[in-house]
């Protein structure tokens, strides 16, 4: 090998080492910047839709959080209009006021099918066919009507006779629904949860790393952990206290939480509280609990089981054993002030 050849080989080797180090330093610098970059700020907006206050708290690196929050609110508005049983333009109104089979779209079919499935699972404690009874009492979910007196007993009995989830026929091959024996659908016990799950999916499809939560009148779906890693602290309202008092705190990085309480909508007559969650067996507001909270992965499941748990409060032992089998973890505040929770619930009470 000639001297000049050896020199150029050495030079090439030196260059390779130099560029190699440069590459390493650049990669390391980028990694450090990536790890320590400040999290994106949270954008927050509140709107009134679906008969409730919907609050969105959201952050994204990919798109403007405001645009994501708008997607959430438009989804709530879409579903609110579509499933409000008292709006003559809604599909539920159409089904309730039709005789015979009604063809519906896939989404509506799936929601009604799910509602009937949950009615079976909860032995009718959750019943999506209480429309006429709820209308009589004046607690229509979306309108937020405020009734003031107990209807007469005969009317309650009459309307109660026109309820019962076994009066809903579903024909999957024709995507059609039929109501029998004069029942009316009221999906108020499930639509909020469905809207939360839908809005969550819409957000995550745009930015799978978006974080934050959606709070629809106390039913909450987590979009992602706070700053990408911390749990959100959620207070469970003390039904015996004022709206800002909590009986317990839970910490969630994902999933959903829903509460059914007798303090949401009610009136007092002769010292007795009448609220908007009905016992499908009696036609009167369910008794036994002041509030039932459920944590689960899906908001629909949490919403449904919170309502069902409230109705089944007197069978609280059964609730604590059976509901967790469906992934629904329960926290109940009883009339007596006693608290019952299933054994797994404590996992959510620790910050982990
Ligand atoms: P909120 O809407 O206040 O969060 P819930 O989730 O418990 O409370 O839903 C209550 C609504 O569900 C009522 O306004 C009514 O539309 C409907 N509903 C009432 N009782 C029942 C029941 N036993 N099963 C199914 N839906 C019910
Ligand atoms: Mg509910």
């Amino acid at each position: 090998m000639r001297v000049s050849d050896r020199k150029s080989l050495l030079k090439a080797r030196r260059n390779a080492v130099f560029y190699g180090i440069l590459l390493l330093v650049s990669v390391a610098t980028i990694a450090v910047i990536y790890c320590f970059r400040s999290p994106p700020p949270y954008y927050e907006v509140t709107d009134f839709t679906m008969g409730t206050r919907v609050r969105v708290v959201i952050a994204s690196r990919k798109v403007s959080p405001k645009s994501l929050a708008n997607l959430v609110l438009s989804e709530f508005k879409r579903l609110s209009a579509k499933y409000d049983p008292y709006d003559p333009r809604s599909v539920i109104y159409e089904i309730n006021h039709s005789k015979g089979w009604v063809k519906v779209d896939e989404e509506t079919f799936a929601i009604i099918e799910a509602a009937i499935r949950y009615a079976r699972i909860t032995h009718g404690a959750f019943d999506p066919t209480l429309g006429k009874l709820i209308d009589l009492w004046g607690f229509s979910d979306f309108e937020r009507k405020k009734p003031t007196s107990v209807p007469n007993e005969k009317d309650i009995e009459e309307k109660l006779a026109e309820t019962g989830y076994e009066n809903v026929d579903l024909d999957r091959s024709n995507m059609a629904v039929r109501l029998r024996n004069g029942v009316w659908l009221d999906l108020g016990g499930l639509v909020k949860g469905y809207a939360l799950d839908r809005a969550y999916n819409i957000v995550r499809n745009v930015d799978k790393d978006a974080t934050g939560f959606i709070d629809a009148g106390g039913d909450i779906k987590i979009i992602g952990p706070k700053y990408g890693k911390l749990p959100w602290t959620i207070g469970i309202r003390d039904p015996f206290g004022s709206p800002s008092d909590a009986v317990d705190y839970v910490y969630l990085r994902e999933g959903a939480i829903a509460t059914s309480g007798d303090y949401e909508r009610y009136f007092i007559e002769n010292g007795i509280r009448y609220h908007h969650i009905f016992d499908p067996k009696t036609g009167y507001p369910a008794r036994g609990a002041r509030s039932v909270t459920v944590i689960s992965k899906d908001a629909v499941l949490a919403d449904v089981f919170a309502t069902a748990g409230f109705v089944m409060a007197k069978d609280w032992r059964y609730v604590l054993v059976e509901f967790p089998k469906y992934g629904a973890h329960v926290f109940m505040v009883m009339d007596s002030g006693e608290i019952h929770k299933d054994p797994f619930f404590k996992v959510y009470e620790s910050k982990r």
Side-chain angles (χ1 to χ4, degrees):
M1 191 186 281
R2 283 188 293 137
V3 173
S4 64
D5 279 352
R6 201 184 296 149
K7 260 190 189 156
S8 60
L9 190 69
L10 269 176
K11 195 171 168 198
R13 228 185 250 165
R14 235 183 283 134
N15 278 348
V17 169
F18 175 75
Y19 287 114
I21 289 172
L22 194 66
L23 186 70
L24 265 179
V25 169
S26 315
V27 168
T29 312
I30 290 167
V32 166
I33 291 171
Y34 190 84
C35 287
F36 290 95
R37 73 195 160 148
S38 59
Y42 278 99
Y43 171 78
E44 186 172 335
V45 65
T46 300
D47 202 351
F48 196 84
T49 165
M50 207 172 268
T52 198
R53 209 174 65 101
V54 179
R55 179 169 162 238
V56 188
V57 174
I58 193 161
S60 165
R61 285 185 200 284
K62 200 173 157 193
V63 290
S64 104
K66 190 175 173 182
S67 67
L68 287 178
N70 283 337
L71 287 177
V72 170
L73 294 175
S74 355
E75 184 62 1
F76 266 83
K77 285 178 184 158
R78 179 182 78 82
L79 294 168
S80 179
K82 192 170 173 182
Y83 296 115
D84 179 349
Y86 305 97
D87 182 343
R89 291 160 300 182
S90 83
V91 59
I92 298 302
Y93 188 96
E94 187 197 341
I95 297 170
N96 285 349
H97 293 85
S98 302
K99 296 224 166 358
W101 291 99
V102 180
K103 273 195 174 284
V104 295
D105 63 278
E106 210 172 320
E107 180 178 48
T108 303
F109 192 88
I111 291 179
I112 298 173
E113 197 177 43
I116 300 302
R117 196 173 60 240
Y118 288 127
R120 286 203 192 101
I121 289 173
T122 62
H123 309 288
F126 178 87
D127 191 331
T129 65
L130 303 184
K132 281 192 181 163
L133 187 74
I134 291 166
D135 190 42
L136 172 71
W137 278 86
F139 286 110
S140 64
D141 208 9
F142 293 59
E143 287 173 26
R144 289 259 146 189
K145 275 201 253 169
K146 197 155 170 33
T148 48
S149 63
V150 179
N152 79 55
E153 214 178 306
K154 204 170 143 282
D155 288 344
I156 295 176
E157 255 167 48
E158 226 175 85
K159 298 298 175 199
L160 188 61
E162 295 181 315
T163 65
Y165 66 94
E166 62 285 349
N167 293 306
V168 181
D169 294 329
L170 293 163
D171 176 356
R172 182 160 257 299
S173 52
N174 288 306
M175 213 65 106
V177 182
R178 180 176 63 181
L179 304 181
R180 282 181 284 104
N181 292 327
V183 305
W184 273 5
L185 292 175
D186 180 322
L187 303 179
L190 162 154
V191 163
K192 224 159 52 173
Y194 177 71
L196 283 170
D197 284 338
R198 278 276 318 175
Y200 166 87
N201 283 333
I202 289 170
V203 165
R204 298 284 294 225
N205 277 340
V206 176
D207 178 5
K208 66 174 179 38
D209 298 317
T211 69
F213 62 85
I214 310 163
D215 177 350
D219 290 1
I220 296 169
K221 176 96 180 184
I222 307 293
I223 296 168
K226 195 174 183 177
Y227 304 128
K229 49 180 183 283
L230 301 173
W232 293 99
T233 304
I234 296 159
I236 297 175
R237 181 169 156 184
D238 179 359
F240 292 94
S242 64
S244 57
D245 293 333
V247 270
D248 198 16
Y249 287 94
V250 293
Y251 304 93
L252 301 181
R253 287 186 177 82
E254 58 179 6
I257 178 166
T259 299
S260 287
D262 69 1
Y263 47 79
E264 287 284 350
R265 261 174 313 144
Y266 66 93
F267 61 86
I268 309 264
E269 192 178 283
N270 297 328
I272 299 170
R273 181 188 286 257
Y274 295 90
H275 57 80
H276 71 314
I277 302 161
F278 291 92
D279 183 339
K281 283 193 188 133
T282 64
Y284 282 79
R287 301 293 174 201
R290 298 290 319 268
S291 81
V292 173
T293 298
V294 170
I295 296 178
S296 85
K297 198 169 160 290
D298 292 347
V300 171
L301 204 83
D303 198 5
V304 165
F305 279 84
T307 306
F310 193 97
V311 173
M312 298 165 97
K314 287 184 184 130
D315 291 326
W316 59 269
R317 284 195 174 82
Y318 175 88
V319 169
L320 296 190
V321 171
E322 290 304 312
F323 284 20
K325 292 180 184 168
Y326 297 92
H329 296 285
V330 196
F331 180 95
M332 310 172 90
V333 182
M334 309 302 283
D335 274 346
S336 60
E338 261 179 297
I339 287 174
H340 301 304
K341 45 193 172 184
D342 76 73
F344 193 80
F345 201 86
K346 64 174 178 297
V347 170
Y348 302 117
E349 294 173 318
S350 88
K351 280 190 172 166
R352 283 164 288 152

